[in-house]
C-alpha cells in the first residue's frame, strides 16, 4: 500500500510538471530577441464597428523588427490594399508605402523627422511619462508610459511597451521616441478614427533585410497625392 502511495505521489508531481510545461505561452521569448515579428489585433469603438463600411479598416497589424530597423504593416480586408511604414534605420527618413490591388497601384512617400501619417494626433511636441504599472501582454510583462501633447496635456494615450527586445532605439523617427521599448498595446488616431491595437503573438524568427527596403516596383509620389489616395481607401 505504501509503495502504491509513493507511485501516486510521483505521478501527481509528474503530471503537474508536464502541465506547467505545456501551458507556458508558446510565444514567450526565452531571452531578449533582436529580430522577429509581433502580431496585433486592431479594434475600434462601437460607432466604427457597426458602420456598414467598417470592413475597409484593417483588423490586424504586424511589426517586423531587426536590429534598429522596423516595418509596420496593415493588410486591408479582402486584400483590397496594404499600408506599410518602414523606419528606424540610421537615417531620419520614414517610408510610407501604399498598394491598392484593384488599381494595380504601388506608391510610396519618403518623409523626414517623425512625420508618420498615422500619428497625426501626435504630430507636435510630446511629453512622455513613465509609470510603474505593469501587465502581461502576449506572454511577456509590459510597462506603461503615458504620452501627452506638450501644448494640450488633456489629450493623452497610454502605451504599454516591453524592453525585452535588443533594439537600442525602438521608436526612432516616431513621436513615441521617448518610450523605451516596443509598444505592445496602445492606440493610433488617423482621420478621426482611433485604432486600438494589442499584441497577441511574438515570434522570434529570422527576418530578411529586403523587408526594410522599398520594393523596386513602387513609385514615389507627393504627400498630397498620398493623402488623396488614402481618402479613397479609408
Amino acid at each position: 500500500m505504501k509503495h502504491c502511495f509513493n507511485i501516486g505521489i510521483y505521478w501527481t508531481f509528474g503530471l503537474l510538471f508536464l502541465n506547467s510545461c505545456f501551458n507556458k505561452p508558446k510565444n514567450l521569448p526565452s531571452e531578449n530577441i533582436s529580430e522577429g515579428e509581433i502580431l496585433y489585433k486592431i479594434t475600434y469603438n462601437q460607432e466604427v464597428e457597426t458602420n456598414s463600411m467598417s470592413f475597409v479598416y484593417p483588423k490586424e497589424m504586424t511589426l517586423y523588427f531587426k536590429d534598429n530597423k522596423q516595418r509596420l504593416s496593415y493588410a486591408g480586408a479582402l486584400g483590397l490594399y496594404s499600408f506599410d511604414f518602414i523606419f528606424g534605420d540610421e537615417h531620419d527618413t520614414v517610408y510610407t508605402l501604399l498598394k491598392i490591388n484593384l488599381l494595380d497601384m504601388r506608391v510610396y512617400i519618403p518623409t523626414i523627422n517623425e512625420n508618420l501619417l498615422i500619428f497625426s494626433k501626435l504630430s507636435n511636441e510630446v511629453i512622455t511619462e513613465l509609470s510603474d504599472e505593469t501587465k502581461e501582454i502576449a506572454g511577456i510583462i509590459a510597462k506603461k508610459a503615458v504620452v501627452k501633447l506638450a501644448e494640450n496635456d488633456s489629450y493623452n494615450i497610454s502605451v504599454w511597451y516591453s524592453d525585452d527586445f535588443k533594439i537600442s532605439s525602438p521608436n526612432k523617427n516616431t513621436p513615441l521616441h521617448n518610450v523605451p521599448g516596443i509598444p505592445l498595446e496602445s492606440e493610433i488616431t488617423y482621420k478621426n478614427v482611433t485604432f486600438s491595437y494589442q499584441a497577441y503573438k511574438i515570434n522570434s524568427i529570422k527576418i530578411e533585410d529586403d523587408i526594410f527596403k522599398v520594393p523596386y516596383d513602387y513609385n514615389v509620389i507627393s504627400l498630397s497625392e498620398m493623402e488623396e489616395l488614402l481618402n479613397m481607401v479609408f
Side-chain angles (χ1 to χ4, degrees):
M1 178 67 71
K2 183 177 180 180
H3 180 66
C4 293
F5 179 73
N6 288 337
I7 291 177
I9 291 177
Y10 295 147
W11 268 106
T12 300
F13 278 107
L15 289 172
L16 288 173
F17 174 76
L18 289 172
N19 185 61
S20 65
C21 291
F22 285 115
N23 282 309
K24 280 186 176 181
K26 293 182 177 60
N27 55 335
L28 180 63
S30 57
E31 57 184 14
N32 289 355
I33 56 177
S34 59
E35 65 179 307
E37 64 178 10
I38 305 176
L39 309 181
Y40 301 81
K41 288 287 187 186
I42 302 176
T43 57
Y44 304 88
N45 62 33
Q46 188 68 17
E47 182 180 355
V48 173
E49 293 282 6
T50 56
N51 189 294
S52 61
M53 294 299 294
S54 64
F55 72 91
V56 302
Y57 292 109
K59 300 297 189 294
E60 295 223 359
M61 174 176 91
T62 303
L63 175 66
Y64 304 96
F65 60 94
K66 181 177 184 179
D67 302 323
N68 288 329
K69 300 183 289 291
Q70 296 174 64
R71 179 170 182 151
L72 197 58
S73 296
Y74 300 84
L78 308 176
L80 296 176
Y81 66 89
S82 61
F83 193 33
D84 298 76
F85 298 90
I86 299 174
F87 59 97
D89 64 10
E90 66 275 14
H91 306 292
D92 289 334
T93 304
V94 176
Y95 298 96
T96 302
L97 288 68
L98 175 63
K99 179 169 71 172
I100 303 177
N101 292 319
L102 188 63
L103 303 177
D104 194 25
M105 180 177 289
R106 297 170 177 83
V107 294
Y108 77 97
I109 56 169
T111 53
I112 304 297
N113 295 331
E114 306 173 8
N115 287 325
L116 276 175
L117 288 174
I118 54 172
F119 285 106
S120 56
K121 278 278 192 179
L122 298 175
S123 58
N124 299 313
E125 185 179 353
V126 298
I127 298 170
T128 303
E129 299 176 355
L130 303 183
S131 167
D132 293 330
E133 290 185 60
T134 63
K135 68 176 179 178
E136 184 177 314
I137 301 175
I140 61 178
I141 298 301
K143 303 173 183 178
K144 184 180 180 181
V146 177
V147 178
K148 303 178 179 180
L149 294 175
E151 76 278 5
N152 179 16
D153 62 4
S154 62
Y155 174 83
N156 61 78
I157 62 171
S158 296
V159 181
W160 294 90
Y161 67 93
S162 172
D163 51 15
D164 287 339
F165 300 91
K166 290 182 180 177
I167 300 177
S168 59
S169 302
N171 303 297
K172 184 179 179 181
N173 302 336
T174 82
L176 302 181
H177 59 270
N178 286 327
V179 176
I182 291 286
L184 298 180
E185 179 183 320
S186 190
E187 64 183 41
I188 295 169
T189 299
Y190 180 66
K191 292 184 178 294
N192 296 318
V193 175
T194 298
F195 301 61
S196 298
Y197 62 90
Q198 184 181 68
Y200 67 89
K201 191 172 185 180
I202 302 170
N203 293 320
S204 177
I205 59 175
K206 181 176 177 56
I207 302 295
E208 299 296 332
D209 290 331
D210 284 349
I211 201 170
F212 305 108
K213 299 176 182 177
V214 177
Y216 73 92
D217 57 348
Y218 276 62
N219 299 310
V220 65
I221 60 174
S222 68
L223 177 60
S224 60
E225 289 174 317
M226 176 66 80
E227 290 177 334
E228 286 180 13
L229 288 172
L230 290 175
N231 286 335
M232 293 171 53
V233 174
F234 299 112

